């Protein structure tokens, strides 16, 4: 028996960022587990409206983009659990399994000085102190004690990857408005 969810259709905001996925139901009262795409899921906790889209795989219990009005969200053991308006039993929560969660970037909490959301760094040009372009941030990678910028650049006409630790010893400044990161790094490192 397939459960058709009655969710509020919505338009995905232009600044929406995918921040996680719904993993499974949790309990019997409509709560569900959330897998965050970030180790520090502040956006999930701050936003009271989540936009969801069905998983690319598996059964679809809804289509398009829908709005979830979040009643509560909290950490639980090593995961996050949430409860939304209209999701009042385990069957409704299970029907959300695999859904992709989006939050408007405008709803993210303000970052502290010298702190950045990874999503804001993707696409920035990275130059060294001499003005040599080292590449463009394609991704960031957590290696435990530090984060590493993964840059895409070309060398001898071939696309290659360059990695630079995102630590103050190498990063001189991040200029979001200029879409640039200046680093103390040489092209041959």
């Amino acid at each position: 028996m397939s459960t058709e969810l009655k969710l509020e259709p919505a338009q995905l905001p232009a600044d929406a960022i995918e921040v996680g996925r719904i993993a499974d139901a949790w309990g019997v009262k409509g709560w569900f587990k959330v897998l965050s795409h970030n180790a520090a899921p502040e956006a999930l906790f701050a936003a009271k409206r989540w936009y969801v889209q069905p998983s690319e795989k598996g059964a679809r219990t809804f289509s398009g983009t829908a709005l979830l009005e979040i009643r509560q969200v909290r950490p639980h053991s090593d995961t996050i659990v949430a409860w939304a308006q209209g999701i009042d039993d385990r069957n409704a929560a299970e029907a959300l399994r695999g859904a992709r969660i989006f939050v408007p970037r405008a709803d993210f909490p303000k970052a502290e000085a010298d702190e950045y959301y990874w999503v804001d760094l993707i696409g920035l040009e990275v130059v060294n102190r001499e003005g040599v372009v080292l590449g463009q941030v394609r991704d960031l990678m957590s290696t435990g004690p530090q984060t590493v910028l993964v840059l895409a650049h070309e060398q001898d006409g071939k696309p290659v990857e360059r990695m630079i630790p995102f630590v103050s010893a190498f990063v001189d400044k991040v200029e979001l408005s200029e879409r640039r990161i200046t680093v103390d790094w040489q092209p041959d490192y």
Side-chain angles (χ1 to χ4, degrees):
M1 178 175 109
S2 127
T3 304
E4 182 66 30
L5 275 178
K6 303 291 185 229
L7 297 175
E8 180 183 336
Q11 186 74 33
L12 192 65
D15 67 339
I17 306 293
E18 186 173 347
V19 294
R21 287 186 180 265
I22 296 176
D24 206 351
W26 183 74
V28 296
K29 295 184 179 178
W31 286 77
F32 47 88
K33 291 182 189 177
V34 175
L35 297 174
S36 174
H37 291 336
N38 194 332
E42 290 89 354
L44 281 168
F45 291 110
K48 297 301 175 209
R49 297 161 60 98
W50 295 355
Y51 295 84
V52 292
Q53 293 182 341
S55 172
E56 302 88 359
K57 300 176 185 166
R60 290 180 177 245
T61 54
F62 70 100
S63 59
T65 300
L67 178 65
L68 288 181
E69 296 282 348
I70 301 302
R71 293 172 173 169
Q72 290 183 43
V73 59
R74 66 178 190 235
H76 179 76
S77 296
D78 60 348
T79 190
I80 297 167
V81 294
W83 186 33
Q85 287 292 120
I87 309 299
D88 294 315
D89 61 34
R90 184 172 185 86
N91 289 342
E94 284 176 343
L96 289 172
R97 183 182 302 135
R100 301 164 59 202
I101 302 168
F102 297 83
V103 172
R105 175 62 183 88
D107 287 354
F108 284 31
K110 185 168 174 18
E112 299 293 320
D114 292 329
E115 288 186 349
Y116 305 94
Y117 285 106
W118 286 15
V119 68
D120 294 338
L121 300 176
I122 303 289
L124 297 188
E125 183 178 67
V126 179
V127 299
N128 68 9
R129 290 176 174 174
E130 293 76 33
V132 175
V133 176
L134 300 175
Q136 190 173 46
V137 179
R138 182 179 54 77
D139 200 1
L140 288 101
M141 180 173 61
S142 178
T143 62
Q146 66 191 18
T147 298
V148 174
L149 296 170
V150 180
L151 309 184
H153 73 105
E154 280 196 13
Q155 187 171 321
D156 302 325
K158 295 183 178 124
V160 290
E161 216 173 55
R162 175 177 282 138
M163 296 187 188
I164 301 174
F166 190 63
V167 295
S168 60
F170 301 116
V171 177
D172 291 338
K173 66 183 166 185
V174 175
E175 300 169 284
L176 293 177
S177 61
E178 302 296 321
R179 308 223 13 94
R180 179 177 47 240
I181 300 172
T182 305
V183 295
D184 182 12
W185 199 263
Q186 294 304 313
D188 56 351
Y189 287 179

